[in-house]
Amino acid sequence: MIDKPEEIKLLASGQSNQALRLITGTDDYVLKRWRNEEVFAVDREREVSLQQQLAKLSLAPEVLDYHTGQGWLLQPYYKAPSLEQVTLSPLIKATVLAETLAKIHSVRVDVPTWSMADRIEHYLQQLQAFDAPSVTVMRQQLKPIASVIDDWLSFPVLCHNDLSMNHILMTDPMRIIDWEYAGIGNPLFDIASTIKINQLNSGMVERLISDYEKRTHYQVDRQRLSQWCEFVEWLNKVWQHLFRHTS
């Protein structure tokens, strides 16, 4: 157990977590309070197992304690800015994103795979109970880009799937937080997600792709990436609808 906090600060509040900073007389922690596991199909035991493995590689914060029944995880607080907060040029930030993606995609971990097709169907079924007309429209919008889903495990690597610049801490070495959506999947989805989440401009996108290819020797199919970007935009709309109805 930790000492009673002298100060508690809200760090972030998102779809599946609320993050609190707990400051004691001697230590600094982050308490993640979980929520909406069923709605967003988040497996907390898998999340914890992955974070524990990555912490050993200094890629993620150490898991100090957790309780799935009570819905929380405790990890250290790092007094370091995020990539979003540091003063760097946009192109340098794109390079850091490329390096981070390349590092994540090169890691070998012991986690079960999951199906993107099943995950999408789960989201739409959850939303059906709140807004059936929107689900009908969303299914129609998905049809022209649905072929990318068949590629989900065509080149399986570890993907973060939510790599906001705010999730990259500029520690030494850098640590990445918020792994609840991570899993084995297609690197193009992870790249597309990174592009859309961070709202990268065309110059940053080109730098990201170029630097990623140099570090991984993986040739990015620009046309397929564009289709994945369309899919990510569609998926983000589904998430936003779900969050509105569950918050």
Side-chain angles (χ1 to χ4, degrees):
M1 296 295 291
I2 67 172
D3 295 336
K4 183 178 179 180
E6 297 178 356
E7 190 175 359
I8 300 176
K9 296 181 178 181
L10 177 64
L11 295 175
S13 185
Q15 294 172 337
S16 56
N17 293 298
Q18 182 187 64
L20 301 171
R21 181 180 176 185
L22 309 182
I23 305 171
T24 72
T26 56
D27 294 297
D28 220 338
Y29 304 96
V30 172
L31 178 68
K32 295 181 68 174
R33 298 170 65 180
W34 296 327
R35 59 190 182 191
N36 293 330
E37 288 87 358
E38 175 60 27
V39 173
F40 292 103
V42 177
D43 184 329
R44 297 301 185 182
E45 288 289 357
R46 181 172 56 197
E47 175 190 351
V48 171
S49 173
L50 176 59
Q51 185 168 331
Q52 289 172 331
Q53 293 177 64
L54 295 172
K56 292 178 181 178
L57 302 173
S58 298
L59 272 176
E62 179 186 358
V63 177
L64 300 175
D65 201 358
Y66 73 100
H67 197 295
T68 51
Q70 296 176 1
W72 56 266
L73 179 146
L74 188 71
Q75 64 190 38
Y77 175 82
Y78 294 99
K79 294 183 175 70
S82 68
L83 179 58
E84 177 68 31
Q85 294 168 324
V86 295
T87 304
L88 293 171
S89 73
L91 290 181
I92 295 299
K93 288 189 176 185
T95 291
V96 174
L97 286 170
E99 292 172 344
T100 305
L101 284 167
K103 185 176 292 186
I104 293 170
H105 295 172
S106 70
V107 171
R108 298 293 176 261
V109 290
D110 181 17
V111 291
T113 59
W114 47 265
S115 163
M116 176 58 82
D118 290 348
R119 185 68 58 92
I120 291 167
E121 186 58 33
H122 173 85
Y123 293 151
L124 294 176
Q125 289 293 337
Q126 292 288 312
L127 189 56
Q128 181 79 24
F130 301 111
D131 190 353
S134 289
V135 171
T136 300
V137 172
M138 288 173 178
R139 288 189 186 278
Q140 290 298 318
Q141 292 173 337
L142 177 61
K143 286 181 179 179
I145 53 175
S147 65
V148 295
I149 301 169
D150 296 332
D151 289 345
W152 180 244
L153 294 176
S154 63
F155 192 86
V157 299
L158 176 64
C159 297
H160 185 280
N161 297 329
D162 190 24
L163 196 62
S164 160
M165 291 191 200
N166 285 314
H167 293 162
I168 301 173
L169 302 182
M170 304 302 284
T171 51
D172 186 16
M174 285 190 302
R175 285 176 174 80
I176 304 146
I177 60 174
D178 289 6
W179 293 90
E180 58 266 23
Y181 297 115
I184 305 300
N186 192 300
L188 291 181
F189 175 84
D190 213 12
I191 295 170
S193 177
T194 300
I195 290 169
K196 291 302 178 180
I197 289 170
N198 296 291
Q199 299 180 330
L200 304 187
N201 61 38
S202 58
M204 295 175 75
V205 171
E206 283 305 312
R207 173 66 71 89
L208 170 66
I209 294 172
S210 174
D211 284 356
Y212 180 84
E213 289 179 332
K214 289 175 184 176
R215 284 160 177 78
T216 62
H217 305 292
Y218 174 86
Q219 189 67 37
V220 174
D221 183 330
R222 303 295 211 273
Q223 183 176 354
R224 203 59 170 165
L225 177 60
S226 178
Q227 293 172 327
W228 276 111
C229 284
E230 290 183 59
F231 173 72
V232 167
E233 289 179 342
W234 176 88
L235 186 58
N236 284 339
K237 290 177 183 177
V238 174
W239 278 341
Q240 288 163 12
H241 272 73
L242 271 174
F243 190 56
R244 279 202 302 270
H245 289 292
T246 55
S247 58

